[in-house]
Amino acid sequence: NFVVGGDAEGGSIFATYKDAAGSSPVDGTGGIPTVANITTTSSSPLVGANSFLLTHPASNVQGDGWSYDFTIDAAYQAKVLQLSFDYVVNSGTFVAGTATTDSDVTVWIYDKTNNVLIQPSSYKLLSQSATVSDKFNATFQTAANSTSYRLIFHNASASTSAFTLRIDSVT
């Protein structure tokens, strides 16, 4: 697991960013974001003692998001890697993705060495359940010359509905 602390047991590992307003991020870093940093909660964790809380305010924050920089081992260059996490809607009105529309929050990978945004095999959160957690699973291709990447949770929609997602076991 290249996401050190992805179990939320040691506190938040994510940084906030503000890219240009759009359905996909630019690079998942910089700017002055409106969204707050992802926190952790011990209230009804999905796995273990804590889960991450990703909070979307009741305003349009399209282009803002949360990111985590990670490094892979050289043996995983030019390979297909897996990305997964558990999530559930903790509160509010979250809109899940469909075959034709993005979810309010989408998931991306950024290759920091080559300055390339990578769309994983699945990038939409497809559940809006507040009672049963879902498992996000995707794959992405790493470059032959890079070990430096960024995981991005991006506010893809112009939604002004407040919601909170509980996320856990990020790998």
Side-chain angles (χ1 to χ4, degrees), residues 123-138:
Y123 69 101
K124 302 172 185 179
L125 303 184
L126 301 175
S127 172
Q128 58 193 33
S129 175
T131 56
V132 178
S133 68
D134 195 21
K135 175 71 106 179
F136 176 90
N137 285 300

Side-chain angles (χ1 to χ4, degrees), residues 50-71:
N50 292 302
S51 289
F52 295 113
L53 281 181
L54 183 154
T55 303
H56 181 284
S59 61
N60 178 353
V61 291
Q62 184 184 42
D64 283 19
W66 305 268
S67 64
Y68 172 78
D69 290 351
F70 64 99
T71 303

Side-chain angles (χ1 to χ4, degrees), residues 25-170:
V26 176
D27 61 5
T29 189
I32 301 171
T34 302
V35 295
N37 203 354
I38 294 178
T39 59
T40 59
T41 182
S42 59
S43 176
S44 302
L46 295 175
V47 178
N50 292 302
S51 289
F52 295 113
L53 281 181
L54 183 154
T55 303
H56 181 284
S59 61
N60 178 353
V61 291
Q62 184 184 42
D64 283 19
W66 305 268
S67 64
Y68 172 78
D69 290 351
F70 64 99
T71 303
I72 64 170
D73 294 326
Y76 296 100
Q77 290 175 295
K79 302 288 188 303
V80 175
L81 296 186
Q82 292 183 320
L83 168 64
S84 73
F85 57 87
D86 299 306
Y87 71 97
V88 68
V89 176
N90 192 63
S91 65
T93 305
F94 173 78
V95 177
T98 68
T100 57
T101 60
D102 287 347
S103 49
D104 283 339
V105 174
T106 55
V107 180
W108 300 82
I109 300 290
Y110 187 77
D111 178 342
K112 293 171 52 180
T113 302
N114 297 302
N115 299 318
V116 174
L117 183 65
I118 301 168
Q119 183 178 4
S121 61
S122 178
Y123 69 101
K124 302 172 185 179
L125 303 184
L126 301 175
S127 172
Q128 58 193 33
S129 175
T131 56
V132 178
S133 68
D134 195 21
K135 175 71 106 179
F136 176 90
N137 285 300
T139 58
F140 67 97
Q141 175 72 50
T142 62
N145 67 335
S146 180
T147 59
S148 187
Y149 293 89
R150 178 175 295 129
L151 169 62
I152 300 170
F153 289 85
H154 182 72
N155 284 296
S157 75
S159 170
T160 58
S161 295
F163 61 82
T164 304
L165 299 177
R166 209 168 343 132
I167 299 171
D168 212 324
S169 302
V170 183

Side-chain angles (χ1 to χ4, degrees), residues 15-29:
T16 57
Y17 71 87
K18 182 175 193 67
D19 282 345
S23 59
S24 62
V26 176
D27 61 5
T29 189

